[in-house]
Amino acid sequence: MKDDAALVSEALAGSSPAWREIHARHGGVVLRVCQGFGTLSEAEVQDTVQDTFIRAHQRLGELRDPSRLRPWLLSIARSRALGRLARRASERRALAAFAADPAAGIRAPRADAREVERQTRIELVRELIDALPEGEARTTIELFYLEGELSAREIAERLGVGKSTVTMRLERFRARIKRRLAARLLSLEEA
């Protein structure tokens, strides 16, 4: 049986069988790590496992010590699971902020349409973040909404800017979200 370092070397050279062996050898433990985040649904666990192996495949060349493949995979799995939980928390904060804003001017949705509305909002926020050009404004938004664990002050310190700059970037992004959500939700109601 080949060791992990040999499999990594072969996978880097483009060997699909080597990559399949890596997945077969380590997929179970990656799954168990993801299942350890009890608040993830089974579908989210499966998505996180898949995300882990996609990320590992994309960054396999960055693995410094191929003999430490398993710990590296598990750190990716943990990071992906935490990221998924952080995005969920950020989405809840963004939706709560939107719902609390009377300027949005949207009628209360019917009970059966709430899930459609929630998914629409989540998709829109992700689209807007993805559409932002690379730079400090996008980094600010990603740190606040996607990582979801840093305050505006902590983001300002990390980026070396004033807290007011971070606050301004977040407010501009929120205003953009509100305008796009209002337009999209009104079009859904008319349909």
Side-chain angles (χ1 to χ4, degrees):
M1 181 187 336
K2 295 179 184 175
D3 65 6
D4 283 345
L7 288 172
V8 168
S9 178
E10 290 178 21
L12 284 170
S15 169
S16 294
W19 186 250
R20 282 193 296 275
E21 177 61 27
I22 288 171
H23 190 277
R25 187 178 291 180
H26 301 290
V29 71
V30 168
L31 175 66
R32 286 189 297 281
V33 165
C34 295
Q35 288 171 329
F37 290 86
T39 57
L40 291 178
S41 70
E42 186 56 35
E44 289 173 315
V45 166
Q46 294 301 325
D47 287 347
T48 305
V49 170
Q50 183 177 0
D51 289 347
T52 298
F53 281 98
I54 289 170
R55 177 60 60 102
H57 188 267
Q58 292 169 339
R59 299 205 171 159
L60 194 58
E62 298 173 18
L63 177 59
R64 293 183 188 150
D65 182 358
S67 67
R68 302 218 8 100
L69 176 64
R70 179 174 287 211
W72 183 69
L73 286 169
L74 297 180
S75 71
I76 293 172
R78 182 179 179 277
S79 175
R80 303 309 282 177
L82 288 172
R84 187 172 293 274
L85 292 172
R87 280 190 301 279
R88 186 192 300 162
S90 295
E91 290 163 357
R92 280 196 299 262
R93 281 198 311 270
L95 291 174
F98 178 77
D101 186 356
I106 297 174
R107 297 185 309 249
R110 297 180 317 272
D112 60 339
R114 288 187 192 277
E115 182 59 24
V116 171
E117 180 183 335
R118 186 179 88 73
Q119 288 301 321
T120 300
R121 289 178 180 180
I122 290 168
E123 289 172 20
L124 180 59
V125 170
R126 286 187 180 146
E127 286 173 22
L128 288 173
I129 291 173
D130 290 343
L132 291 172
E134 292 296 326
E136 288 189 351
R138 180 177 178 151
T139 302
T140 301
I141 301 307
E142 287 175 339
L143 287 171
F144 190 79
Y145 286 106
L146 298 183
E147 288 190 21
E149 296 181 6
L150 298 176
S151 68
R153 182 177 313 282
E154 292 167 326
I155 293 170
E157 290 171 5
R158 181 180 285 189
L159 297 178
V161 298
K163 182 181 176 222
S164 61
T165 301
V166 170
T167 303
M168 177 189 64
R169 290 174 183 165
L170 293 173
E171 287 301 319
R172 286 181 182 163
F173 184 72
R174 288 180 191 125
R176 187 178 302 156
I177 289 173
K178 288 174 188 175
R179 287 191 302 271
R180 295 279 304 272
L181 274 176
R184 187 174 285 187
L185 291 174
L186 287 175
S187 70
L188 285 175
E189 287 180 359
E190 292 171 0

